[in-house]
């Protein structure tokens, strides 16, 4: 639930667009069906997700449908780098259910990450999380992707703990799967000015990261800004 936990799927879209894009979205409501629809577009100066480098810069777009406590949506991004290597598109599909447990807002859902032009493998996972006020958490479990070599499944997991620090949010993220075992620290800032969503992230991963970036995505300090509009 990209709306409950701050930025996807958490600080998510912690490293995608800030969840404030969805939380503050304007909605077109079909009164007879109790259904609301919202759309978003955005730009990231550098695309990092869960402490992993994705692209030098990226345009994004998305759509969300809410029906009571249920939600379903998609989010797409350009993952072409400046040199044109590994060019492609990312399409995320997700659905879930929002609820309260002992007055604590929580969610459970599923997410799939799919890529064109062999930019990356496809990933699928189960998500759940909760907002406890002084902190929130977002987890990905039962994650699975196909290896390039023999098309065998590989498992992975992810966890994000987010603590609000006034104007900023601090998040600690872990990723475990295959040969990747790394952690990431991030500071995130988000605001809205005249209906435009603005965000900035400063992060640092440890030496377990991997990926195609100028620093091989290991022991890397990174920063980006985001701008988005929802309607």
């Amino acid at each position: 639930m990209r709306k409950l936990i701050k930025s996807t799927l958490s600080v998510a879209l912690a490293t995608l667009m800030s969840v404030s894009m969805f939380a503050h979205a304007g909605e077109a409501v079909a009164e007879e069906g109790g259904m609301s629809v919202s759309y978003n577009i955005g730009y990231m100066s550098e695309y990092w997700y869960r402490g992993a480098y994705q692209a030098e810069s990226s345009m994004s777009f998305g759509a969300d449908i809410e029906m009571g406590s249920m939600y379903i949506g998609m989010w797409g991004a350009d993952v072409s780098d400046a040199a044109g290597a590994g060019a492609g598109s990312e399409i995320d599909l997700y659905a879930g259910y929002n609820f309260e447990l002992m007055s604590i807002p929580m969610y459970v859902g599923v997410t799939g990450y799919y890529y064109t032009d062999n930019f990356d493998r496809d990933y699928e996972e189960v998500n759940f999380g909760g907002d406890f006020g002084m902190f929130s958490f977002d987890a990905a479990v039962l994650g699975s992707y196909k290896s390039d070599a023999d098309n065998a499944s590989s498992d992975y997991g992810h966890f994000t703990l987010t603590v609000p620090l006034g104007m900023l949010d601090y998040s600690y993220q872990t990723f475990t799967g295959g040969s990747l075992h790394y952690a990431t620290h991030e500071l995130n800032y988000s605001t809205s000015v005249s209906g435009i969503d603005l965000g900035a992230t400063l992060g640092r991963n440890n030496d377990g990261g991997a990926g195609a970036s100028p620093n091989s995505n290991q022991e890397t300090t990174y920063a980006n800004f985001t701008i988005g509009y929802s309607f």
Side-chain angles (χ1 to χ4, degrees), residues 15 43-49 52-59 77-88 90 119 211-215 222-226:
T15 26
Y43 169 79
M44 295 173 279
S45 63
E46 194 168 74
Y47 180 7
W48 289 77
Y49 186 54
Y53 177 83
Q54 305 294 311
E56 182 169 334
S57 64
S58 181
M59 299 292 296
D78 171 15
V79 286
S80 302
D81 62 24
E90 173 186 344
F119 177 82
S213 77
N215 298 312
Y222 56 91
N224 71 354
F225 70 87
T226 62

Side-chain angles (χ1 to χ4, degrees), residues 12-226:
L13 273 124
T15 26
L16 296 177
M17 294 303 297
S18 136
V19 170
S20 64
M21 289 182 61
F22 303 113
H24 301 296
E27 298 178 338
V29 180
E31 297 291 348
E32 65 279 7
M35 181 179 71
S36 65
V37 182
S38 62
Y39 307 90
N40 62 83
I41 57 175
Y43 169 79
M44 295 173 279
S45 63
E46 194 168 74
Y47 180 7
W48 289 77
Y49 186 54
R50 295 175 174 172
Y53 177 83
Q54 305 294 311
E56 182 169 334
S57 64
S58 181
M59 299 292 296
S60 66
F61 64 96
D64 291 271
I65 300 173
E66 291 187 52
M67 298 163 287
S69 296
M70 300 181 63
Y71 63 90
I72 184 171
M74 66 81 59
W75 187 87
D78 171 15
V79 286
S80 302
D81 62 24
S89 297
E90 173 186 344
I91 301 295
D92 302 343
L93 303 177
Y94 51 91
Y97 182 78
N98 301 322
F99 62 96
E100 287 194 1
L101 180 63
M102 300 178 62
S103 300
I104 299 172
M106 305 192 77
Y107 79 96
V108 62
V110 293
T111 305
Y113 306 86
Y114 306 103
Y115 300 88
T116 66
D117 302 317
N118 295 316
F119 177 82
D120 199 352
R121 306 177 180 96
D122 294 335
Y123 300 79
E124 296 174 333
E125 62 192 36
V126 174
N127 310 104
F128 67 92
D131 188 346
F132 292 81
M134 296 183 65
F135 70 92
S136 63
F137 77 90
D138 183 54
V141 297
L142 304 178
S144 180
Y145 64 89
K146 300 294 186 181
S147 69
D148 293 332
D150 55 11
N151 206 36
S153 295
S154 297
D155 298 329
Y156 69 91
H158 168 74
F159 183 84
T160 297
L161 178 68
T162 302
V163 179
L165 302 174
M167 294 180 62
L168 301 175
D169 290 322
Y170 164 77
S171 68
Y172 174 76
Q173 306 177 53
T174 65
F175 186 92
T176 302
S179 61
L180 300 181
H181 300 271
Y182 67 90
T184 303
H185 301 271
E186 287 188 349
L187 287 175
N188 296 273
Y189 172 79
S190 62
T191 188
S192 182
V193 179
S194 300
I196 304 297
D197 297 307
L198 304 173
T201 296
L202 176 64
R204 172 79 179 180
N205 61 19
N206 64 12
D207 60 3
S213 77
N215 298 312
S216 299
N217 198 22
Q218 298 185 6
E219 295 282 0
T220 301
T221 298
Y222 56 91
N224 71 354
F225 70 87
T226 62

